[in-house]
Amino acid sequence: MKWLPLVGFVFLGASALASANYETGLQEYQRGHYASAIHEWRTAAERGNADSQFALGMMFERGQGVGASIDEAYKWYRLAADNGLADAQVRLAELYLLGRLEGEPSSAAQWFERAATSGSAAAQFQLGLLYLEGEGVDADSSIAARWFELAAEQGHVAAQNNIGSLYETGRGVEQSFTRAFEWYEQAAKQNDPFAQNNLGAMHARGQGVERNHAWAVFWFVMAAQGGNDVARENIEASLPNLEEKKIVGSSVNIRSGASTNFDRIASLTRGTSVYVLGSMDGWSQVYFQDNGLPTLGWVSNTLIE
């Protein structure tokens, strides 16, 4: 008997089937169909799919589509973590730190270290904090600095600010204002208000860069707009170093520029005081307060006294 080749059939292995179940579950979850998502994820999880195991853990932790159960959440997180999923390892560590799982802070450190060693920037940052504070591990600022820098190199904003702080103070690393400035700048450009305030302070003091009060105020304003209250105090301390002028027109010409808020700057009227940060091509970047809010913008030089 001659066997005919099968045409149009694709045989999927268990791993591929599990991946398909995971993707289907994700689609169902995004539609708000939690019961269907759990069904798909449980099928995949029982086939060893770590992403589905982690997803089930989240559902049990949050009580979405099932009754909330930290024990069930732990069960699925642990399976995913043992399968090497860094997100699950990080979440287990966080639950230990939060006291939602019974165990010592050292348990959190162990899970963070597993994830950090595999390259998780979030775990590297958290592990750096534990070493800096001596929580669950012996305090060691040099080890903290190493983990912060690894996370910072991956673009982790808080880690960039923290390693900048360590370089500024020389804690755990050889003190370097230049390196501190570089890390603060990277985080500041990603809109971290703490780094923006720190960067402004370095401009104001001339550490790691030539002193420039205009740049100091610029970054202080960015930080203040991001909710950093210390930056507001720093703005006031820096303003005496800038030139104060007045708006002489009743209608202000403005242009696009970093931090420009068109609605606020368009409200400037004749006689309003502004502080000039710098000028270029007939335009000046100015600082002023609008209803108590620190504001920057560009104004035509013809409209400034």
Side-chain angles (χ1 to χ4, degrees):
M1 179 176 183
K2 185 176 180 180
W3 293 97
L4 297 177
L6 294 176
V7 178
F9 289 86
V10 177
F11 294 95
L12 299 177
S15 177
L17 288 171
S19 295
N21 287 128
Y22 169 73
E23 293 298 333
T24 301
L26 187 59
Q27 293 168 9
E28 291 297 295
Y29 178 84
Q30 292 169 342
R31 296 187 185 106
H33 302 161
Y34 296 151
S36 297
I38 289 171
H39 172 75
E40 295 293 336
W41 284 335
R42 188 183 294 275
T43 300
E46 290 173 348
R47 290 177 174 148
N49 182 272
D51 290 320
S52 295
Q53 292 165 344
F54 178 66
L56 279 178
M58 287 194 300
M59 299 299 274
F60 276 106
E61 183 184 350
R62 298 172 181 173
Q64 291 181 310
V66 290
S69 169
I70 196 63
D71 291 334
E72 279 293 306
Y74 170 79
K75 167 189 167 182
W76 292 110
Y77 283 149
R78 180 61 190 262
L79 285 170
D82 286 339
N83 278 332
L85 189 68
D87 286 342
Q89 294 165 348
V90 168
R91 190 56 189 153
L92 280 178
E94 291 171 342
L95 291 175
Y96 278 116
L97 282 184
L98 292 169
R100 298 193 63 194
L101 294 177
E102 292 186 9
E104 299 296 323
S106 59
S107 298
Q110 290 167 6
W111 282 114
F112 278 139
E113 186 161 11
R114 285 183 62 172
T117 301
S118 67
S120 166
Q124 291 165 349
F125 170 69
Q126 293 291 347
L127 193 57
L129 288 178
L130 294 185
Y131 274 104
L132 197 64
E133 299 166 2
E135 187 174 2
V137 292
D138 293 333
D140 191 320
S141 56
S142 63
I143 296 178
R146 178 168 63 86
W147 287 117
F148 284 149
E149 196 144 19
L150 285 171
E153 288 169 350
Q154 295 194 67
H156 193 287
V157 178
Q160 291 172 341
N161 179 65
N162 281 17
I163 190 60
S165 177
L166 294 185
Y167 273 114
E168 183 180 356
T169 59
R171 185 179 177 188
V173 293
E174 184 177 350
Q175 194 275 336
S176 171
F177 289 137
T178 300
R179 295 289 287 146
F181 182 90
E182 291 169 351
W183 282 120
Y184 285 151
E185 187 174 43
Q186 287 196 45
K189 288 180 177 179
Q190 295 187 71
N191 297 318
D192 181 83
F194 298 102
Q196 289 169 337
N197 182 65
N198 290 335
L199 188 61
M202 298 203 81
H203 276 291
R205 294 192 295 259
Q207 293 176 328
V209 68
E210 185 176 346
R211 176 175 288 181
N212 187 311
H213 292 291
W215 274 113
V217 170
F218 174 87
W219 287 113
F220 288 148
V221 173
M222 295 293 97
Q225 290 178 349
N228 190 314
D229 291 334
V230 175
R232 288 176 176 266
E233 299 175 9
N234 288 338
I235 292 171
E236 296 304 317
S238 296
L239 287 181
N241 298 293
L242 299 180
E243 187 177 9
E244 185 176 9
K245 293 191 175 184
K246 292 186 182 298
I247 298 295
V248 296
S250 58
S251 178
V252 177
N253 293 328
I254 61 178
R255 67 178 248 187
S256 177
S259 82
T260 296
N261 185 305
F262 291 101
D263 291 336
R264 290 181 189 167
I265 199 168
S267 69
L268 290 177
T269 57
R270 186 190 306 272
T272 303
S273 293
V274 296
Y275 291 87
V276 177
L277 276 66
S279 297
M280 181 175 64
D281 298 331
W283 295 83
S284 290
Q285 187 176 42
V286 300
Y287 164 83
F288 63 100
Q289 285 208 17
D290 178 52
N291 293 322
L293 297 174
T295 304
L296 296 176
W298 290 87
V299 177
S300 170
N301 287 344
T302 61
L303 296 175
I304 300 178
E305 183 182 54

